[in-house]
Amino acid sequence: DEAADEVIGALRVLARAPLAQARHAIQQKSLSAKLIYLQRTVPTGDLGSSLWLTGRRVDAAYRDHVQGLVTHTYLTDRAWRVATTPGSLGGMGLRTWADTADAAYLASYA
């Protein structure tokens, strides 16, 4: 839970950077590694468990961060699905906890 709080805090600090391109680049190059590490080391648990709730908190903070990249807009659920679609399929390639944590956790044992 501490590691998740650290990532959420880092996303909030990063949101104060003035340039959206810089925020996105830092997030992709630095914070993504922390998110992937969390996904590999923390199982998501059962629906409604504390681990599952931690994943939901991280995803919500991540979505808020991405929302802040474009001012005066609202990121709809459809737009969020496009943002989390792989780049090869026309999306931004953002990875969410809910979509990748279980596979990353299992892959860490291989």
Side-chain angles (χ1 to χ4, degrees), residues 2 18 24 28 34 36 40-41 46 54 56 60-61 64-66 71 74 76-77 79-80 85 88 91 94 97:
E2 285 181 30
H24 182 67
Q28 287 294 91
K34 288 183 179 186
I36 291 168
R40 287 183 177 160
T41 57
D46 296 326
T54 297
R56 297 287 294 170
D64 288 345
H65 170 73
V66 172
T71 57
Y74 175 74
T76 64
D77 289 338
W80 181 244
T85 300
S88 62
L94 302 177
W97 185 289

